[in-house]
Amino acid sequence: MTIQSDASKERADRRKDRRKRDSQATAWGPGFIIKLILMGAVNALGIYIIFTAFGVGSLTLGIGMILLLIAVNWIYFSRRTLALKYLAPGLVFLLIFQAFTIVYTGYIAFTNYGHQHTLDKSGAINSLLLQNNSKRVEGSPQYPLVVVERDGNIGFAIIDQEGALKVGADEEPFAEVDGTITDNSITEVDGWDILSSSEMGQRQSEIFDLRVLLSDDAEEGAIGTQSGTVGYQFVSTLSYDDASDTMTNTETGEVYAANDETGFFENEDGDRLGVGWRVNVGFDNFREGFSDDRYAQPFLKVLIWNVLFALFSVLTTFLLGMFLAIVMNDERLKGRRFYRTIMLLPYAFPSFMTAFLFAGMMNRNYGFFNEIIGAAIPWLTDPTMAKVSVLLVNLWMGFPYMFLIVTGALQSIPGELTQAAKIDGASTLQVWRNVTLPQLMISLTPLLISSFAFNFNNFNLIYMLNQGGPRMSDASVPVGHTDILISMVYKIAGLTGEALPNYGLAAAMSLVIFLIVGSVSLYSFRKSNSLEGLN
Amino acid sequence: MPAGKWFRELGFRHIVGVIAVLYSAFPIIYILSAALNPNIKTTLTGANSMFSDVSVENFTELSDTMFWTWLGNTLIIGVATAIGTVLMGAASAYAFSRYRFQGRKMTLMSLMVIQMFPQLLTFVAIFLLLNTLGDVIPALGIDSKIALIAVYWGGALGANTFLMYGFFNSIPIELDEAAKIDGASHTQIYWTIIMPLVIPILAVVGLLSFISAFNDFILSRTILTSQENWTLAVGMNLWVGGNEKNWDWFAAGSIIAALPILLLFLFLQKYIVSGLTGGAVKG
């Protein structure tokens, strides 16, 4: 055995030893106990989720959770994953709630997801069969029935042929529950309240329209009631044929064929059944956004205003903030801290409240500004004035941030530099233009870029101040003159019930915004070389 | 110093300072006067003659509204978001700053790219995702505060890693090495040596993520559907954003709600100035 291999063996042993000591996986200290407890909790929760996921038939979620759980256990019990141990918690949330949703947004952008297209095909078929449950089956059995209510939703409780008590509601087929039956009538249902006859009177139409499925399969029919005390079996006037993929109206004999391009059942005349399903529509959403008359014109206006708004926002706040920072940047100035503290107030005041506050002060008839000036300036009602107002409010909200970062950047410029320039005979203005400003811009450019990106999507200001208004009178979609892309997308998505939801179009527009902001940021970051710090 | 020179050197700075102070403070003083004015109801008109009439009536009226529930929700969501964001962001910044692992550069680059896609642009996808998740885990579905917090946590790395990463890099690595030689474990080094040194940046990130959760409207409006779960941004939008105007409630409510943030801001001023220069943006 040579001396060299002795030494290398020793080194290897030492390394092994150190790894052993380093790794929490082998040390039974209090840290390890805490880790065991935490991991136990994570695993318990994970396994619970896996079982429930498979229980309700959500395969993707169940499998995803299994993979996630294996990964997490490997990371925390392996010795070779030190960096991942620190990254894992954040990464898990990032992957699910940001990375995945970005990809999902991309997917939705190419579908017709939205009004009439929220379901997949089998869901749409079921829903059609259920909705058209209007024909009472001749000679079908009758069921003793009561109307029940839970959290404001109504449902039916029935006694079925075997004498079992069952409850069901909208999208909830009948299932057996505990309760009390006295003399073949239902007097108590666990978890539900039985409606009194006066309550039933108030919700009459809701009760008559309700159909509760007998089972998961909509073709078996559903129970409805005409009296509130007896249930009858109803079957759909539509019948679905699997082989030909068509819907047939059993009363008129009309045949509707599935069209997998539009996501509707259509007959020969092009009439469609009311519920459709999600299909891939390619670039239709993008085409609609850019060339459909309803969207293209307002979209272009909004896009131009959005860019101008972001540019002017950065420019105005930066100029004011920089001016104040330079003026206040003199150590001999007494009360400097007081000035600075008060100037911070707008930055600390919650932005949505600022927007509301100014909306009140800018009211044309009762607002503070008009009353003080004694004029009737249409601050928020005239298209051009509204744009100016938005920038004015943004100036108030945004200048303290610029003031802060310029103050910070000024401290990092070495005094010798300006002194040397002065000795060389440069005037104050020359020193400022040729020495200070270039130095400032080096450290401030990345911040100005992210400020541009932030203002590009400054939803709160636009939406809370004026809801994007005043509304464009010539546009057929609810878009206003101060709307920016994000507030327009918000209105189009229709999640709040103001418009019919169009998730596909909203997602497509989100992608467009991303492309704009992303490429502007990337280009400017490259230009300013601020990515070099990563190495 | 002769008066003329004094004015040229310092005096004009005071004039600018006073004007800037008036400009900054004025709207806040105005809303304070409105909050104390019992005559405002559906318009702010009564408050235009400032402090003419002072009472706490508007504040007591708040107990007839959902204000305190909303404030509680906002605080719970904001604090939980801030704590989670700080813990996860600090851990990842530490890993990037101290370890040279495979795929490090790529992960950093992907974070940079993801960061450019603002989370609020994905609200449609988040809504649909939570709709599905809720079928399996109701606590992570629509109308759950936990779900909203989890969504905010999803943005923890993207928004803050770079800000914190720079700060961690400024802590000399020799400190870690010295502690290692003294026999400290990784966990000990992280919690007892590094974390205390980076408190300034933790404070900034915590405060900024609290504020951005506080201010968020799109995501909270999308996820929280029942009034008992609403946050202030969603609730107060109902007071003055639509056709109904309740300026009396809004004025009083905004004073109460803004107070904690204003105080925190003044208290953490020193840290914020240094933290912002490192690269954060108001959310």
Side-chain angles (χ1 to χ4, degrees), chain A residues 370-392:
Chain A
N370 278 350
E371 202 142 293
I372 286 297
I373 310 170
I377 299 170
W379 296 100
L380 298 171
T381 42
D382 174 73
T384 315
M385 199 56 216
K387 286 178 178 168
V388 175
S389 301
V390 165
L391 288 173
L392 284 176

Side-chain angles (χ1 to χ4, degrees), chain B residues 4-202:
Chain B
K5 185 165 188 270
W6 177 86
F7 183 81
R8 266 199 317 279
E9 299 255 310
L10 288 175
F12 85 96
R13 293 177 201 270
H14 281 292
I15 294 177
V16 173
V18 169
I19 295 173
V21 160
L22 286 177
Y23 174 63
S24 312
F26 171 72
I28 293 179
I29 294 173
Y30 178 79
I31 193 75
L32 181 67
S33 91
L36 291 171
N37 192 319
N39 302 324
I40 55 164
K41 288 281 178 288
T42 53
T43 72
L44 276 171
T45 320
N48 290 348
S49 51
M50 290 168 70
F51 296 107
S52 54
D53 206 344
V54 172
S55 94
V56 292
E57 194 185 303
N58 293 338
F59 289 92
T60 50
E61 267 177 35
L62 285 180
S63 52
D64 303 332
T65 70
M66 297 283 280
F67 177 79
W68 297 104
T69 316
W70 296 339
L71 181 65
N73 291 339
T74 312
L75 292 180
I76 292 170
I77 292 168
V79 169
T81 305
I83 292 175
T85 303
V86 164
L87 289 180
M88 293 190 282
S92 77
Y94 177 72
F96 284 124
S97 158
R98 292 307 200 248
Y99 298 120
R100 293 291 173 271
F101 50 92
Q102 232 180 352
R104 170 176 171 276
K105 215 178 143 186
M106 209 203 71
T107 323
L108 267 174
M109 278 305 279
S110 340
L111 273 184
M112 189 91 185
V113 173
I114 288 179
Q115 183 195 18
M116 286 175 193
F117 203 130
Q119 211 182 11
L120 74 159
L121 276 179
T122 64
F123 68 96
V124 169
I126 287 177
F127 171 74
L128 298 172
L129 169 70
L130 292 185
N131 236 341
T132 316
L133 275 180
D135 292 341
V136 179
I137 324 153
L140 277 182
I142 293 295
D143 203 22
S144 148
K145 278 176 271 195
I146 297 175
L148 182 61
I149 294 168
V151 169
Y152 290 152
W153 282 355
L157 293 201
N160 300 302
T161 302
F162 288 96
L163 183 58
M164 299 175 112
Y165 171 69
F167 203 93
F168 275 80
N169 278 345
S170 68
I171 307 242
I173 198 156
E174 286 78 20
L175 275 178
D176 307 33
E177 281 160 3
K180 206 178 260 179
I181 291 168
D182 289 346
S185 70
H186 287 292
T187 333
Q188 279 171 329
I189 293 173
Y190 179 69
W191 287 107
T192 61
I193 303 202
I194 302 297
M195 284 301 251
L197 288 174
V198 295
I199 282 179
I201 198 71
L202 301 188

Side-chain angles (χ1 to χ4, degrees), chain A residues 22 24 48-49 52-53 56 58 61 82-83 86-87 89-91 93-94 96-102 104-105 108 113 320 323-324 326-330 332-334 337-353 356-361 366-369 371-372 392 395-397 399 401 404-405 408-409 447 450-451 454 457 459-460 463-464 467 486 489-490 493 495-496 503 506-507 510-511 513-514 517-518 521-522 525-526 531 533-535, chain B residues 1 9-10 12-14 16-18 20-21 23-28 30-31 43-45 48 50 88 91-92 94-96 99 101 104-105 107-109 111-114 116-130 132-133 135-137 140 147 150-151 153-155 157-158 162 165 185-187 190 208 214-218 221-222 232-233 236-237 240-242 247 250 253-254 257-258 261-262 265-266 269 272-273 276-283:
Chain A
D22 282 356
Q24 287 289 310
Y48 166 75
I49 293 174
T52 344
V56 299
S58 181
L61 193 61
L82 204 51
Y86 287 94
L87 286 173
L91 278 184
F93 283 97
L94 177 93
I96 301 175
F97 291 106
Q98 197 157 14
F100 173 76
T101 52
I102 292 174
Y104 198 39
T105 304
I108 299 166
Y113 215 145
L320 180 60
F323 170 72
L324 290 173
I326 292 164
V327 172
M328 292 292 128
N329 191 38
D330 190 316
R332 295 167 301 169
L333 189 69
K334 286 208 181 78
R337 284 195 51 183
F338 167 77
Y339 289 134
R340 193 169 83 176
T341 306
I342 303 296
M343 278 188 240
L344 259 172
L345 288 181
Y347 187 48
F349 199 70
S351 68
F352 71 93
M353 291 185 193
F356 284 138
L357 171 59
F358 274 90
M361 290 165 82
Y366 322 102
F368 178 79
F369 291 141
E371 202 142 293
I372 286 297
L392 284 176
L395 180 62
W396 187 81
M397 288 163 84
F399 87 89
Y401 170 70
L404 282 180
I405 62 171
L447 295 181
S450 39
S451 172
F454 170 79
N457 291 313
F459 177 85
N460 274 16
Y463 192 78
M464 309 289 184
Q467 278 163 352
I486 178 79
V489 168
Y490 184 71
L495 283 175
T496 49
Y503 306 142
S510 294
L511 282 191
I513 303 180
F514 168 55
V517 180
S521 313
L522 206 61
F525 275 124
R526 279 264 158 88
L531 284 174
L534 297 186
N535 298 321
Chain B
M1 209 188 288
E9 299 255 310
L10 288 175
F12 85 96
R13 293 177 201 270
H14 281 292
V16 173
V18 169
V21 160
Y23 174 63
S24 312
F26 171 72
I28 293 179
Y30 178 79
I31 193 75
T43 72
L44 276 171
T45 320
N48 290 348
M50 290 168 70
M88 293 190 282
S92 77
Y94 177 72
F96 284 124
Y99 298 120
F101 50 92
R104 170 176 171 276
K105 215 178 143 186
T107 323
L108 267 174
M109 278 305 279
L111 273 184
M112 189 91 185
V113 173
I114 288 179
M116 286 175 193
F117 203 130
Q119 211 182 11
L120 74 159
L121 276 179
T122 64
F123 68 96
V124 169
I126 287 177
F127 171 74
L128 298 172
L129 169 70
L130 292 185
T132 316
L133 275 180
D135 292 341
V136 179
I137 324 153
L140 277 182
V151 169
W153 282 355
L157 293 201
F162 288 96
Y165 171 69
S185 70
H186 287 292
T187 333
Y190 179 69
L208 290 179
F214 194 102
N215 274 319
D216 172 58
F217 176 78
I218 293 195
R221 176 76 174 82
T222 304
L232 281 174
M236 287 172 116
N237 179 52
V240 286
W247 287 103
F250 173 77
S254 60
I261 299 188
L262 284 175
F265 234 87
L266 299 182
Q269 219 190 109
I272 293 166
V273 175
L276 283 179
T277 339
V281 176
K282 185 186 186 186

Side-chain angles (χ1 to χ4, degrees), chain A residues 14 16 61 81 95 148 178 184 217 231 247 249 255 310 327 337 377 393 413 453 498:
Chain A
R14 234 191 357 250
K16 216 166 109 190
L61 193 61
T81 52
L95 285 177
V148 291
D178 289 329
N184 207 28
D217 184 5
M247 283 277 183
N249 188 323
V255 178
V327 172
R337 284 195 51 183
I377 299 170
V393 176
I413 297 176
E498 290 149 17

Side-chain angles (χ1 to χ4, degrees), chain A residues 246-262:
Chain A
T246 53
M247 283 277 183
T248 311
N249 188 323
T250 52
E251 281 175 339
T252 62
E254 230 166 334
V255 178
Y256 296 81
N259 183 337
D260 278 318
E261 261 162 41
T262 56

